[in-house]
Structure formats: structure tokens, C-alpha cells
Amino acid sequence: MGYRVVVAADSAGFSYKELIRQDLKSHRRVDEVIDAGVSVGEDIDYPHVAVKAARIIAAGQADFGIFLCGTGMGMAISANKVKGIRACTAHDSYSVERLVLSNNAQVLCLGARVIGPELARRLASEFLEYTFDPRSHSKPKVDEISSYEEC
């Protein structure tokens, strides 16, 4: 069974979201792409879009997310407010790899004003190629991160 991936963007990340959404439709590991907005002409602030999309993952309706805004940072900060979500901005291949393998993150955030569209597309695809190993030395650290959600 393939992944269910939610894509989300504010108006700054909209064009990149559309490119990535199309790519994901033919990605070998993706069965379903869920578009959490924005749509053409919508101007919704990134905190609302990020939280809406992160809640879809937290509810078990999607496995992963790729969120875009101007820098990726606002989306990451907002998504991390949702219990159970680990989201981070990454703009290079090594960081994308570590996002999954070291941190078991479900959400990759990208900045449309920071990197070009082809790199964004490549990083989105790479993100879905990694699988966290729950037997890895990183598992206790991920558990420690999650333990702070109860504080």
C-alpha cells in the first residue's frame, strides 16, 4: 500500500505546491494526494493552512505532508503546534534524509522564496523515499521529543 500525502501552501508557495502535487500523482510510493489548500486566488495565512493540513496527518487520514510557504519556516512552526506532528524545513538532500531517518518527521516544509522549483520537486520526491527504522539509535530521541507534547 502506498502513502497518502497531503500538500499545503499559502499564496507564496502555491505555484510550487501545484508542481509537487502533480509530481506526487505519479510517484511510485504515493497512492493518494490530498490538497489542503490554498486554491487559486485564495489568500489564507500560512498558520491556518499548516494546522489544517497537519491535523489531517494527526487524524490518520494522511501519512506524510509537504507544506510550502515563502521560507518553509512558518509552515513548520505552525504544523508543529499539532500534537504528534514533527515538521521541519529542509532545503538540501542531506537534511531531507536526516529529517526522516533521524527524526521520523512526517512533514517536509519548503520555501518557495529560498530554493528553485526543480530543487523543491526533487527534495519532495526524496523525502518519500526514506523510511524511519524504529530499531535505529534515533528511536529513543524521537520518543523523547514526543514526550514533551504532554508537558
Side-chain angles (χ1 to χ4, degrees):
M1 182 172 151
Y3 297 140
R4 299 163 300 164
V5 180
V6 61
V7 293
D10 66 358
S11 57
F14 175 77
S15 64
Y16 280 35
K17 176 190 66 109
E18 291 300 297
L19 290 171
I20 290 168
R21 184 174 62 83
Q22 288 303 317
D23 290 347
L24 294 176
K25 288 180 178 182
S26 60
H27 192 285
R28 70 180 188 86
R29 297 186 92 175
V30 176
D31 279 351
E32 181 182 0
V33 180
I34 302 161
D35 190 337
V38 297
S39 299
V40 174
E42 278 188 311
D43 188 18
I44 301 171
D45 292 337
Y46 63 78
H48 306 297
V49 179
V51 168
K52 174 185 171 184
R55 285 179 174 161
I56 292 169
I57 297 166
Q61 298 167 338
D63 305 297
F64 295 101
I66 300 171
F67 300 175
L68 301 109
C69 65
T71 63
M73 292 183 271
M75 286 294 223
I77 292 167
S78 301
N80 281 316
K81 299 300 180 186
V82 176
K83 184 177 178 177
I85 296 300
R86 288 175 302 282
C88 192
T89 303
H91 291 134
D92 63 84
S93 292
Y94 181 70
S95 297
V96 168
E97 173 190 298
R98 300 325 311 164
L99 188 59
V100 178
L101 299 184
S102 294
N103 296 288
N104 195 19
Q106 313 99 317
V107 181
L108 168 64
C109 298
L110 300 168
R113 294 180 178 147
V114 178
I115 60 173
E118 293 306 313
L119 180 55
R121 292 170 73 191
R122 186 177 100 206
L123 296 176
S125 179
E126 289 175 4
F127 176 67
L128 298 173
E129 293 297 330
Y130 296 107
T131 303
F132 181 75
D133 181 354
R135 297 165 295 160
S136 75
H137 70 279
S138 295
K139 174 71 164 94
K141 296 171 192 160
V142 173
D143 290 343
E144 289 170 10
I145 293 168
S146 297
S147 76
Y148 281 103
E149 292 177 346
E150 303 305 321
C151 295

